[in-house]
Amino acid sequence: MNNGVKINDISKPVEQLLRLRLEDLMPLPPPFDKEPEPPIEGEPKPEWREEYFTDLDGYVAIDLPIKPKSEEEGRRFVERFLDGLRKLTSDEDNWTFKEQFMLSIEYCAKCQTCNDACHFYQASGKKEIYRPTYKSEVLRRIYKKYLTPSGKIFGNFVSGEVDLNWRTVGRLAELAYRCTFCRRCAQTCPIGVDNGVINRELRKIFAQEMGIAPKAFHDQGTVKQLKTGSSTGLTPDGFKDMIEFIQEDFEEKLDMKIDMPIDEKGADILLIHNAGEFLSWPENIAAFAILFNEADLSWTMSSDPIGYDGVNYGAFCDDVQLARIVIKHIEAARKLDVNKIVIAECGHAHKVLTVIADRILFDDLNIPRENWLPIMWDAVRKGKFNFDPDKNQFPVTLQDPCNLVRLSGITQPQRNIIKAICPQFREMEPHGVKNYCCGGGSGFAIMSSMNYPEWRKKISVRLKVKQVLDAFQDSISPDINKYACFPCSNCKGGIRDGIEHYGLWEKCRITYGGLVELMVNAMVDIEEPFIEWEVH
Amino acid sequence: MVLSLLQLSSYVAFAIFIVVTLRTARKWASMPMHLRWELYPVPHEPEHEHGSSYLEKVDWQTKPRETTLAGELKELLMEMLFIKRVFDHKRDLWWLTFPFHFGVYLILGWFALLFVGGLTQAYTGIAIPSAHPWAQLIHGLTLLTGSLGIILGTLGTLGLLVKRLFTRELREYSAGVEFLNLIFILVVFGLGAVAWLTFDTDFSTARAYMTSLVSFSSTGIENTVQSNSILLAHVILLELLFIYIPFTKMSHFVGKYFTYHTVLWEDEPNIRGGPLEKKIKDLLTYKVSWGAPHIKKGKNWVENATAEVEENWGEWKI
């Protein structure tokens, strides 16, 4: 099963610890028992090896030329890493996650009970470096050996064998992006140890101490969002134009008036989307407007910089950037004097604003924040909509976004809605709080540089593709259209990769989209089908 | 009468165990409040069987919060007593770790029964064993917990050691100290088993020694203990184990309380004007020393969170 890699191999001067091979990966269900899947291209370009850390599995998540070029740089690289690790244990620097991190570092029994909970470990054919305990154990050993009195005295006897050099640090930087901290492993731990939090804190060492993070997260992510208003680069004027375009487009398509209020002071709700929807899935924006209007909700969007983009990539590696963006979201809500912020179909935006930011906000900043699903189920329950479930007479399955379900406890409203409007609904297995990550979580869906997308397609989304195929096995023929409902922007990004890469539309007629699209598609008053049977 | 050195060492070992364990608990209890990081299902939520939380309610901030202690206790007991997660997710290991842990629980129960028996003998004059019903109850339970605890504990520890030695995924991830811990426990269990089978089959010597400890008097039983090398080695190593455990990961019974109660199940909402806001304000005055270009080193969290974006924030440096 594993490829014989040992913990301390992470420090060894070998070209790569692992080379992925198609024949090792977890098999996919029919039609892939007969249909071949695309090959693994794999190999990084030779020139990348000089500047980037290709030494782990050949894939590059950290698209910065961080490889030390001299002994002095290597030494400094290690020192900075240790400085960052030390700061994770400080009250002042890391009150945000110190307790969660330290408990998980101190008490792992190394029983490996968590292993099979990890979708990467399973999808890769149980490769050692993707075992959820692998990187945690490396970090734990470094911490024990270099930062604790017992480790300094007794060395490897108490820490376990580990050598800390620039290769160790570089490979750890890459390994930090081989886990989406979906925290499914933590659910299985008898002690409550959380490899997910260890992984997030590992990313934090690089991001907050060394300034190292994938460009998509920092330079082109949080920094761009703070500078322009959105990580997509969409400015406030651009946002207004975009909404106008979506409004006109869907009014014309559906032959109906669709109000899309912007900056309406005193509205009850400030609705915040993931700005990715404006560009990639505008039908999601239109569907929300139709539903909120039909439900007689008092709502608005904001054109304040960042107020129209709910994403917060600080969640993935950086507490300081997270706080900065949260404050901007709150400021947008205060400016409009709304009663609450409601987060649309974006799992991480929801978790950041409703759960994580709950311990950052106070006084006037502590504005109520909710997810859209309970509000919408409430409206459905109260009969605000006239649905004809027969309009959704096709097989439908539902993705449970980790941030919404396992990490926030919102599991039922989406099921109640989908059961009311989709006669052929079937669950994925497992589902609810035991779901598997979509593979696009913790920002993976937006990391698209160098050869990383191939890793995402082959490993990251593989188990989700398997789950979707399993859910539709009774109707897998391409003669039947099927809908994978993924009510989260990152999840949609993940399954979009999966559908494109494995050709699920061509081979099985599986498409994907959010929940709001299904709801509008079922509305009696809207004559034209809202769901377009294609992959977009 | 003057206490023997052996008795004194027993008091010291027990005292160290308690003091260090409490110190560890205090260390975790005094950690700063952290960002929320709960993991569902959270068993004190009334709808926890679906994994649901109060966030499923519209305007949840304005509604009374409902929790269920029964849900939490059930989950707690299933995990503590039966190690349910290992049963569900790693059955081959459960067949070893369950007997080990249950053996330890039985031995702790055995200690408690010896303690009660010691108090009974020292302060009521009722001899154990004797025809007195209370004495019969204590004696019977002591025999049951002690014998079963020794058998399960010894076999479980031996099994865990063998498993850890011969299973690659366990061996590769274990440091030397982790093997030492298992060997240490096995030796203590093993010596206890030999002492029980060859010398103290009804635990009357153990109870007599406990009686001398709870009565703070030297009754001569310590001479009996000292005259039997197996028994003496067992008592001394058990005392050393008691001293050693709280300094190691074997004290995860403390950590486990905090992983669940202050992290995974901690979902207390920060209501406007509520008690958490004061703590948050204090925490935000902490100064940060992170070194990345986008972080204002030496400034506090509020100053950092409200800083205007600068051109060099996208840079990185070794």
Side-chain angles (χ1 to χ4, degrees), chain B residues 4-17:
Chain B
S4 70
L5 207 56
L6 189 65
Q7 285 172 300
L8 282 173
S9 67
S10 297
Y11 292 129
V12 169
F14 186 67
I16 290 175
F17 177 85

Side-chain angles (χ1 to χ4, degrees), chain A residues 215-288:
Chain A
K215 284 182 192 166
F217 287 8
H218 187 67
D219 196 15
Q220 296 299 310
T222 53
V223 175
K224 190 192 236 182
Q225 191 177 11
L226 287 162
K227 279 181 181 169
T228 66
S230 168
S231 57
T232 61
L234 195 66
T235 61
D237 286 341
F239 161 74
K240 286 185 216 167
D241 290 345
M242 182 65 77
I243 290 297
E244 195 181 328
F245 168 76
I246 294 171
Q247 186 175 11
E248 284 173 6
D249 188 33
F250 280 87
E251 282 184 344
E252 191 181 324
K253 270 185 195 164
L254 303 175
D255 192 23
M256 65 183 287
K257 183 164 168 44
I258 307 171
D259 282 337
M260 294 194 180
I262 297 174
D263 296 337
E264 287 209 355
K265 218 169 172 187
D268 183 40
I269 290 169
L270 167 63
L271 179 66
I272 304 186
H273 290 283
N274 176 322
E277 317 297 288
F278 301 128
L279 305 170
S280 299
W281 301 290
E283 67 280 5
N284 186 271
I285 306 295
F288 261 100

Side-chain angles (χ1 to χ4, degrees), chain A residues 304-338:
Chain A
D304 223 36
I306 301 183
Y308 52 87
D309 186 0
V311 309
N312 191 332
Y313 299 159
F316 306 145
C317 59
D318 193 323
D319 297 343
V320 175
Q321 293 292 78
L322 178 142
R324 286 169 177 161
I325 291 165
V326 164
I327 299 292
K328 297 286 183 190
H329 285 139
I330 298 295
E331 279 175 359
R334 288 176 70 197
K335 206 179 267 186
L336 292 174
D337 199 22
V338 297

Side-chain angles (χ1 to χ4, degrees), chain A residues 51-54 59-67 170-178 203 206-207 211-215 447 449-450 452, chain B residues 316:
Chain A
E51 296 194 306
Y52 301 89
F53 272 101
T54 54
Y59 294 100
V60 181
I62 310 262
D63 47 353
L64 297 169
I66 60 173
K67 205 163 190 174
R171 286 186 176 126
L172 275 175
E174 279 297 324
L175 265 177
Y177 293 90
R178 303 295 186 277
R203 289 187 187 184
F206 293 102
I212 293 172
K215 284 182 192 166
M447 291 166 60
S449 57
M450 305 178 80
Y452 190 76
Chain B
W316 64 276

